[in-house]
Amino acid sequence: EEVVVQQGVSFGAVWTLWQVAQRLGVAKTFGSTQDGRRALWQVFARVLEQGSRLSAVRLANAHAACDILELEAFDEDDLYANLDWLADQQEQIEDQLFRLRYGRQQPDLYLYDVTGSYLEGVCNALAAFGYCRDGKSGKMQVVYGLLCDFQGGPVSIQAFPGNTSDTKTF
């Protein structure tokens, strides 16, 4: 009899990330809806390979992402729409992850830092002219504030218009 051998989709990397996300409580925090699972896939995709939303779709097709995460078929437009869902859920997700990590005990010390990124384009809702740490004059930028615990573990991140002063981000 003739035997046909062919390569199927990759399974191990997504399965491993899924197991880690479940053990850490991240999977539960994102939820079991299609939006929650798509957001989790976007995290997995960035861990596996840097790239665009389109590359995340292609990566899902090469891996068993839809099977493991029980995702319906999606395209890059679905992932862009999912970013809106994720932005709307950010505070709730951060709060749940914080409670999972610390329970009722809260750190005595928090670390906070502000940075910015200049933009080559002008089509960004947060883009504005302001103090540019990169020394790129004449470029719009976005400001980011990162809150960490005493060990440097991220607690929250927020993006601000590029003309926001450091003290107003806190």
Side-chain angles (χ1 to χ4, degrees), residues 85-142:
W85 176 87
L86 192 54
D88 291 341
Q89 303 299 314
Q90 179 179 351
E91 187 174 334
Q92 177 185 347
I93 290 169
E94 288 176 344
D95 287 347
Q96 287 180 11
L97 291 173
F98 185 87
R99 283 194 300 278
L100 277 172
R101 184 165 182 185
Y102 301 106
R104 293 182 181 193
Q105 201 134 1
Q106 293 188 12
D108 294 330
L109 176 68
Y110 292 92
L111 307 171
Y112 186 73
D113 194 21
V114 179
T115 192
S117 297
Y118 71 89
L119 306 169
E120 290 296 336
V122 294
C123 295
N124 185 303
L126 296 176
F129 292 103
Y131 172 70
C132 187
R133 291 161 185 80
D134 297 324
K136 289 281 191 176
S137 60
K139 301 282 184 182
M140 296 178 114
Q141 68 170 3
V142 175

Side-chain angles (χ1 to χ4, degrees), residues 1-147:
E1 291 183 40
E2 189 174 312
V3 176
V4 176
V5 178
Q6 66 184 51
Q7 176 67 39
V9 294
S10 181
F11 178 84
V14 176
W15 178 256
T16 301
L17 291 171
W18 174 240
Q19 294 302 308
V20 170
Q22 287 181 313
R23 289 181 188 161
L24 294 176
V26 175
K28 184 177 180 182
T29 298
F30 276 71
S32 59
T33 65
Q34 287 296 297
D35 279 323
R37 297 288 172 97
R38 278 190 197 115
L40 193 58
W41 170 247
Q42 293 203 67
V43 172
F44 289 3
R46 291 298 70 81
V47 169
L48 296 173
E49 182 179 293
Q50 296 298 307
S52 65
R53 301 297 156 236
L54 178 57
S55 70
V57 171
R58 292 176 178 154
L59 191 63
N61 292 331
H63 288 72
C66 291
D67 296 325
I68 294 169
L69 298 177
E70 298 177 1
L71 279 168
E72 297 169 2
F74 59 90
D75 62 20
E76 64 273 19
D77 292 332
D78 295 320
L79 294 184
Y80 279 112
N82 184 247
L83 293 176
D84 291 333
W85 176 87
L86 192 54
D88 291 341
Q89 303 299 314
Q90 179 179 351
E91 187 174 334
Q92 177 185 347
I93 290 169
E94 288 176 344
D95 287 347
Q96 287 180 11
L97 291 173
F98 185 87
R99 283 194 300 278
L100 277 172
R101 184 165 182 185
Y102 301 106
R104 293 182 181 193
Q105 201 134 1
Q106 293 188 12
D108 294 330
L109 176 68
Y110 292 92
L111 307 171
Y112 186 73
D113 194 21
V114 179
T115 192
S117 297
Y118 71 89
L119 306 169
E120 290 296 336
V122 294
C123 295
N124 185 303
L126 296 176
F129 292 103
Y131 172 70
C132 187
R133 291 161 185 80
D134 297 324
K136 289 281 191 176
S137 60
K139 301 282 184 182
M140 296 178 114
Q141 68 170 3
V142 175
V143 174
Y144 305 100
L146 175 64
L147 181 67

